[in-house]
Amino acid sequence: MSLFIYNSLTRSKEKFVPLTKGLVNMYVCGPTVYDFPHIGHAKSYISFDIVVRYLRYLGYHVRYVQNITDVGHLLDDGQDRMLKGAQREQRHPMELAEVYTRAYFEAMDALNVLRPDISPRATGHIPEQIELVHTLLEKGYAYVVNDSVYFDISQWPYYGKLSGRRVDDQQAGARLEINEEKRHPADFALWKKAEPQHIMQWNSPWGRGYPGWHVECSAMAMKYLGESLDIHGGGMENQFPHHECEIAQSEAATGTQFVKYWMHHNMVMVDSQKMSKSLGNFTSIQQALKRFSGAHIRFFILQTHYRSPVDFNDDSIAASSQGLQRLITTNKELLRALENARDETTAPEISDMCADYKARVENEMNDDFNTPAAIGQLFNFSRDINSYLSRDLSKGSVKMLLDHFTAHADVILGILPKDTAKAVSAEPFIDLLVRVRSDLREQKNWRMSDMLRGQLSELGVVVNDSKGGSSWSYKT
RNA sequence: GGCGGCAUAGCCAAGUGGUAAGGCCACGGUCUGCAAAACCGUGUUCACUGGUUCGAUUCCAGUUGCCGCCUCCA
C-alpha cells in the first residue's frame, strides 16, 4: 500500500510520487510574526508536522521550508500588520518580529512540532523577490504603474486553476476598496510603492517600496527548493487568493509546474464559533497551554482529520485527554515490564500482533494522513498490550511491543509527552515513597499506606496497585 | 451574486453499495484490604424528502441548517 495524498489542485486523492526518488521538497506558509500564535496556528503546523514525520518514517529525505513573514501584510482596515504591531508596542518592526518569532517557536516546541529545516525571513530575501518581479516584467506578465508593479492576470490564462474560480464571477471590492491603479481588479501587487511614513521600505528598480503580498513565498520556496516543489501546504483560507497568486507568478516566471501536491487544512472554531478578536474568543497557544499540556492539545487536534474543521472547547479537550492518558499508561507499563522481564526470546504471537498493527497504522496514515483512524488503531493496540501485560511476557516480547508502540505513538504521531525537567528531578523521590508504601502494605498498615496514597494524590501523583507491585503516574 | 466545505449514536470522531473503527461519559461484571488502573459486557443508528439498486448511512436530485473564501487572518 502506498501513500495517497489529497491534492487540492485536482480535488482527488493521488498516489504520492516525489519528483526525485527518495527526496521530498516541502514548503508551508509560515506565520506573520506581529502577535502571539493562536490555536489556528497549532492546527496548521501540527498537521504538516505529521506529514513531515510520516514521510521521514517512510524513509524519505525531507527538506522542509517554512517562512517567517516579517514584512507587512494588510489588515481589513487597510493597515499594515507589522506596522500596527510596532506602533502598539512602541517597538522597531524588527524587534517585534524577533519577539513573536521566538514566541512562535516556543509554542511549537511545546506542541512537539519539529522545527523546519529552513525558516527564511521575508526581509532577508528582498533581492530574491525583486529579481522575481523583474523576471515577470521582462516576460510581459507584469506592468508598472506609479512606481508599483502588478501581475497582469490577462496574460495568465490559468489563473483560478487551484481555487476553481472565474475572475469575472468575483465581486470586486467585496472587502477592500478597489484599487484604481490596476488594469483589472484581480491583478495583484508584486511590488508596492512606499509612502514616506511607511517604516519598512527598500530600494528597487521602481523606487522606494516594499514587496507585494505573495512574492515572498514564491521567491523563498524556489530559492531553497527549486522551481518545482513536491508539496506546498497551507490553510484553506489561503487557497484563494494567496496560493492562486503564488502559482501564477511562479509558473509565469519559470514556465514549469510550481507545485505537484497542494495540501490545505481546515479551520479551527472556538466553542462552535469562528475564532476572531471581535468575538472575544481569540485563543493564543500560550493561553491554551495554561489549561492543557502541549501533548493534550496536540492529541486533541490529531483526533480530527486535518481536512475537517475542529471545534476547540475545554470539555472536548478534557475528554480526549482522558483517552490520551490510557496510551501514556500503556507506554509506562511497558517500560516497567521491560525492567522486570527476563528471557530475550520473542513470542511468535507477539511478533504477529506487532506486524498486524504496524500494517493497520500505516494503512490509515497512507490514506491521506488519517490520524484519527490511526489513533483508533493505537487504542486497539493499547488494549491488546494491556491484556498481555497482565500475564508473564519475555523481555524480547516486551521490547518488541515497546518498539512498535513508540514507533506509532511517538515517532509518527508525537503524542507521548516528553519528560520534563521537573519530572526527572522528582521521580526518584516518588519512587522511594512508593517503595516505602509497598512495605507498609506488606505489613498491612493500611492507615499509613492510604495516607501516603492520599497525600501523593494531592501532590498530583496517582498510585496504582497491582499483583506485580505498585506503579505511579502524574495526574493529567 | 460566485467558489468551496460540513451535517454519523448523550458528547467527540473515523468510515463503507451489504447493514456503523476508536475515544469520553454512563451502567453492570472480573481483579483489589479498599481504591485506582486494567480487562470483559451493554450502542439499531448515520439532518430531512424523493430517486437509482436485490440492498444506501454510503451513489444521484432536491430541501434545511452551519461554516470558510471572493486581494490576502492558519
Side-chain angles (χ1 to χ4, degrees), chain A residues 8 162 234-236 238-239 243 262-266 306-307:
Chain A
S8 307
L162 174 68
M236 276 181 181
N238 276 334
Q239 208 165 344
H243 294 154
W262 278 95
M263 295 183 68
H264 290 97
H265 65 81
N266 217 312
Y306 77 90
R307 283 192 291 114

Side-chain angles (χ1 to χ4, degrees), chain A residues 28-49:
Chain A
V28 169
C29 291
T32 303
V33 284
Y34 73 111
D35 204 346
F36 285 105
H38 53 71
I39 52 170
H41 293 103
K43 174 155 171 100
S44 178
Y45 302 116
I46 288 171
S47 298
F48 294 115
D49 183 52

Side-chain angles (χ1 to χ4, degrees), chain A residues 363-378:
Chain A
N363 214 37
E364 303 295 3
M365 292 301 289
N366 281 337
D367 182 16
D368 194 29
F369 310 98
N370 192 338
T371 54
I375 287 169
Q377 292 301 337
L378 203 55

Side-chain angles (χ1 to χ4, degrees), chain A residues 41-42 44-54 56 64 66 104-116 285 289 292-299 301-302 324 406-419:
Chain A
H41 293 103
S44 178
Y45 302 116
I46 288 171
S47 298
F48 294 115
D49 183 52
I50 290 294
V51 174
V52 172
R53 283 170 181 264
Y54 191 60
R56 285 185 180 147
Y64 178 25
Q66 187 191 99
Y104 168 71
F105 282 121
E106 280 165 18
M108 291 302 126
D109 289 347
L111 296 172
N112 201 19
V113 171
L114 302 174
R115 296 207 176 185
I285 296 172
L289 283 169
F292 300 98
S293 75
H296 288 156
I297 294 169
R298 181 181 175 96
F299 183 72
I301 285 172
L302 291 177
L324 176 60
T406 53
H408 305 152
D410 192 40
V411 176
I412 297 176
L413 296 169
I415 52 178
L416 294 180
K418 299 278 171 276
D419 282 333

